[in-house]
Each structure stands twice: as C-alpha cells, then as structure tokens.
Amino acid sequence: MAKTDVLSLAILGMLAEQPLHGYQIRKRLSGELGPFRALSYGSLYPCLKRMVASGYIAADDSNSTDVTRPGGSKRSRIAYQLTDAGTDRLARELASSGASSWDDEAFDVRFSLFGKTDSETRLRILEGRRTRLAERLEDVAEGLARQRDRLDAYTAELQRHGLERVEREVEWLDKLIEDERSATRGTDHHTASAGDK
Amino acid sequence: MAKTDVLSLAILGMLAEQPLHGYQIRKRLSGELGPFRALSYGSLYPCLKRMVASGYIAADDSNSTDVTRPGGSKRSRIAYQLTDAGTDRLARELASSGASSWDDEAFDVRFSLFGKTDSETRLRILEGRRTRLAERLEDVAEGLARQRDRLDAYTAELQRHGLERVEREVEWLDKLIEDERSATRGTDHHTASAGDK
DNA sequence: GTTAGCATGTAAGGAGTTACATGATTTT
DNA sequence: AAAATCATGTAACTCCTTACATGCTAAC
C-alpha cells in the first residue's frame, strides 16, 4: 500500500475543507493546479470508488430531504466526505514527504496543500524538489557538452530554452525556501536553534 | 492510421540522418529533447518493431563483416534505417502540421525537426502552439477570477507561477516567430527584397 | 576475473484518455 | 420545447514504466 497515488491525495486534501461531489471535485482540481490537469471522469469516478472501498471517504447519497417520489430514485449528486480513517491518512501523508513528492505532478499537489502542512515538512519538500531539479540541470549540461557539435540550431535552441525554464524554477524555489526560513525564524520555532547537527 | 504517435516521428527524424541501433536512439532521444524524456526500452523496442512491421524502417541485422562463428549468432547491434516508405512518411509528416503538434510533447519533437521543415510549416506550427498557449492563459485567468476568494496563499502562488511560466513560453514563441518572419523576408523569398530591418 | 556499460527484448501492470451511455436541472 | 450544463458511470484502448531475462564486450 502506501503507494499514494497523486490524485487520491489531491482529493483527500480537497475534501478536508468540505464535502463535495465528483463533478465539483473535477472542476476545482482543473482550476486549482496551474494551467494543467483536465482530469477526465473516466479517471475520477473509479478513483472515488476505490477510496470509498478503502474506507477513506464516505459517499453520502442522500436524496434525502425530498422524498416525493415513491421510487425515491433521484440519483444525482453524491456528496463525498472524509471518514476518520481518511482524516488520519491525510494527516500522515501531510507529515511525511513520503512517496516521492519531487515529480512535477506530485510536487504541485503537495504544494497546493502547503496550507495544511507544517513548516518543517514544507521546507523538506521544497529542498527535495530543488535538489531534484539541480540534478536534472547537471544531466542536461553534461549531455549538451557531450554532443554539442552534432546539434543543429533548432535542437540547440530547444535545449537552451528547456534549461532556462528549469533554472527559473530553481530560482523560484530558492525564493520560497528563503521565505519559509525567515518565517520560521520569526514565529513558531520551538527548539532553540543553537548549534550543530 | 495517420495517428502519428510522437515517438515514431522522433525516430523517423533521427534515422533520416543516419542508421542507428536502438540503444543509440534512446540515448540521443534522452539528450536531444530538453531535460525530459527518459524513455524506457520497454517502450522503444516494441515501437521499433511496429515500425518495421509497417515498413517504415528496416532492421539491418548484419553480423556481417566477421563470420568466424559457424552459427553466426552474434546477435548484438541491430541497425535500423529508413526505407523509401519511411522517407515518404517523414516527408509527409514534416510538411503538414498534421495530427496536433500543439501538445507539449508533440511540439518539442516537431520543433527538434525544424531543420528538416520548410519555413511555412515552421511558422504554422509556431503560431498554432502560440494560439494554444494563449487559450490556456485565458482559461486560467478566468478560473482565477471565478474562485479568487477561496484560494489560500500557497495555491494562489502556484497559480501565479504557472501563469508566469506560460507567459514566458509565449514570449519565447513570439521571438521565434519574429525571427522566422524576418529570415523569410531576407533569404528564400524569390521575389526580390532589398532589405531594411 | 569481475565489474561496468553496451545491447536487446518480454510480461505485467499503472494511470490516464476517449467514447459511450444515461438521466436531471437550469436557462433561453 | 430545446439547448446547455450538471451529474454519474463503464469499457476499450493507449502509452508508458518496472521488473525481469539474457548475453556480449571493454576496462580495471
């Protein structure tokens, strides 16, 4: 288990704020995470089903308050909400930078949940992501050096642009890391910081 | 058919320069396209197989020049090269901005083949890509406006950063488009052009 | 002589998409 | 009353990765 697929984590985080039904989850997910992620229903509903089966969320199919029809089959709108197990699961997930939060997608989801994450973990994730990008940078630079001559102008430009993009993301991370550190110094530092490690 | 999967296009383009064997193709592919694409063998070899079956490439399993062994089974190193059909296919693919070249991945591959693409097609692809990104920009801006209040600081920052990234890519494309246009005016325009700039 | 890297492949499976199929509710 | 949009779901398929399985060749 523990193989937290990214989607279910995002859903857990979303349901922590309020119960939602599938259709709403999809819209928010699409909006919340950058210009990415158009997530299809064919992906979402089976995931919700699995999560119900695992006991992390409960389907509240109350067609409810208005039982005019004998068959009672209005059927639309199934609201999902976190169970206790789901709340636990989310808390555990949020506390550890567990199953690789460094991939592009996983990082975005983790980052969008930073509001519910403690500052130590935030820092760990930001630094992990930074390390990962720095490695990529090295790989590319190395690759470039090895085959420099064989590259036509367009391929070289593509490389340059890709490199630039990653460099900018590293700068972004550096800024965030710095902010995080100064915020920590200011506020919730509980153990004295004297020292070594 | 016609459903040009990206990988096979990249391979066609690569083999147009020289015959290569699978292992080499993979290394180049990994290097050539930005910091992306680590492409596994489990993906590559079946694709090569399909392409052989379709007649676009030929497998030259010559263990050849050195037939000391009676069984002749050295087996390593299968060089692939374009067939006539493959050359045709590549030419057709390169001439049309066919099956959506606007996705992130497809665009990168198409761009890396710009050296073999005529300038009209180059322009069409660059502009198509630009349009696609501008649309995304609109979608995000709209989404942002609609839910502005419900966003915590981190999610908002993620959005902002995503937006910035796309904006930069649009700028990059604008620069390329401009270059492409002025190059066209300068050189391969057969109606004269005494240039200013 | 053993490790590291070159070289080819297959099988199982994950994660998602498209297309389909259905029906309720709101807006025009 | 028609059209748009809300709402849920399934089945088939695509594309890719991981893990496995094999063997050659160069370097240390």
Side-chain angles (χ1 to χ4, degrees):
Chain A
M1 49 163 172
K3 231 246 156 185
T4 315
D5 89 86
V6 193
L7 178 54
S8 64
L9 176 58
I11 292 173
L12 285 176
M14 206 160 266
L15 292 181
E17 315 246 325
Q18 61 185 293
L20 293 166
H21 54 264
Y23 197 86
Q24 287 177 311
I25 291 174
R26 193 220 181 200
K27 290 201 84 180
R28 298 216 177 175
L29 228 43
S30 297
E32 214 132 286
L33 271 37
F36 332 90
R37 251 352 52 177
L39 192 68
S40 65
Y41 297 118
S43 208
L44 175 61
Y45 285 113
C47 180
L48 286 169
K49 220 176 177 181
R50 281 195 305 274
M51 289 172 78
V52 170
S54 310
Y56 297 127
I57 62 178
D60 179 16
D61 191 350
S62 59
N63 36 332
S64 72
T65 35
D66 188 70
V67 208
T68 15
R69 285 117 193 288
S73 62
K74 267 186 69 197
R75 186 253 206 171
S76 266
R77 264 176 150 65
I78 299 173
Y80 293 95
Q81 54 188 300
L82 286 191
T83 59
D84 290 351
T87 309
D88 274 16
R89 172 69 183 280
L90 177 60
R92 250 179 298 127
E93 218 65 68
L94 285 176
S96 185
S97 30
S100 45
S101 310
W102 332 122
D103 302 315
D104 295 322
E105 313 205 342
F107 174 78
D108 284 352
V109 170
R110 281 305 257 119
F111 188 85
S112 75
L113 297 173
F114 265 20
K116 306 180 187 29
T117 307
D118 65 282
S119 101
E120 244 178 84
T121 308
R122 287 200 296 255
L123 211 47
R124 231 183 310 128
I125 290 174
L126 290 172
E127 279 165 350
R129 173 72 175 169
R130 196 201 182 283
T131 303
R132 143 71 65 116
L133 288 186
E135 275 165 20
R136 247 198 250 186
L137 233 38
E138 264 179 59
D139 287 355
V140 178
E142 192 194 322
L144 252 174
R146 241 192 300 104
Q147 47 182 328
R148 170 162 0 176
D149 34 321
R150 263 227 302 53
L151 292 179
D152 68 292
Y154 287 110
T155 313
E157 176 61 20
L158 189 60
Q159 292 264 11
R160 200 201 53 71
H161 180 243
L163 218 71
E164 194 183 287
R165 193 199 309 176
V166 178
E167 274 161 7
R168 262 201 243 276
E169 189 147 358
V170 170
E171 281 166 34
W172 181 65
L173 287 169
D174 282 338
K175 208 192 64 206
L176 289 169
I177 288 170
E178 206 191 309
D179 287 358
E180 204 63 63
R181 287 224 175 90
S182 54
T184 304
R185 273 195 296 277
T187 48
D188 73 354
H189 212 18
H190 39 98
T191 53
S193 57
D196 60 328
K197 73 93 106 217
Chain B
M1 46 158 181
K3 230 247 158 183
T4 316
D5 89 85
V6 193
L7 179 54
S8 64
L9 176 58
I11 293 172
L12 285 176
M14 207 159 267
L15 293 181
E17 314 247 326
Q18 62 186 293
L20 292 166
H21 53 266
Y23 197 87
Q24 288 176 310
I25 290 174
R26 194 222 181 196
K27 290 199 83 178
R28 298 217 177 176
L29 229 42
S30 297
E32 214 131 286
L33 271 37
F36 332 91
R37 242 17 33 186
L39 193 67
S40 64
Y41 297 119
S43 208
L44 176 61
Y45 286 113
C47 179
L48 287 169
K49 218 174 178 181
R50 281 195 304 273
M51 290 172 78
V52 170
S54 310
Y56 297 126
I57 63 178
D60 179 15
D61 191 351
S62 59
N63 31 334
S64 69
T65 34
D66 189 69
V67 209
T68 16
R69 285 117 193 289
S73 62
K74 265 186 69 198
R75 186 253 208 173
S76 267
R77 263 177 149 68
I78 299 174
Y80 293 96
Q81 55 188 301
L82 286 190
T83 59
D84 290 352
T87 310
D88 275 16
R89 171 71 183 280
L90 178 61
R92 252 178 298 126
E93 217 66 68
L94 285 176
S96 184
S97 30
S100 46
S101 310
W102 332 122
D103 301 316
D104 296 321
E105 313 205 342
F107 174 78
D108 284 351
V109 170
R110 282 304 260 121
F111 188 86
S112 75
L113 296 173
F114 265 22
K116 308 180 184 32
T117 307
D118 64 282
S119 101
E120 243 178 84
T121 308
R122 288 199 296 254
L123 212 46
R124 231 183 311 128
I125 290 173
L126 291 172
E127 279 164 350
R129 173 72 175 169
R130 196 201 182 282
T131 303
R132 143 70 65 115
L133 289 186
E135 275 165 19
R136 247 198 250 186
L137 232 38
E138 263 179 60
D139 288 355
V140 179
E142 193 194 321
L144 252 173
R146 241 191 301 103
Q147 47 182 329
R148 171 162 358 175
D149 34 322
R150 259 227 303 53
L151 293 179
D152 68 292
Y154 287 109
T155 314
E157 176 60 20
L158 188 61
Q159 291 265 9
R160 199 201 55 70
H161 180 243
L163 217 72
E164 193 184 287
R165 192 200 310 175
V166 178
E167 274 162 6
R168 263 203 242 276
E169 188 146 358
V170 170
E171 281 166 33
W172 181 65
L173 286 168
D174 282 339
K175 208 192 65 207
L176 288 170
I177 288 170
E178 204 191 309
D179 286 358
E180 203 63 63
R181 286 224 175 90
S182 54
T184 305
R185 275 195 296 278
T187 48
D188 75 354
H189 213 15
H190 33 91
T191 55
S193 67
D196 58 323
K197 177 241 183 13

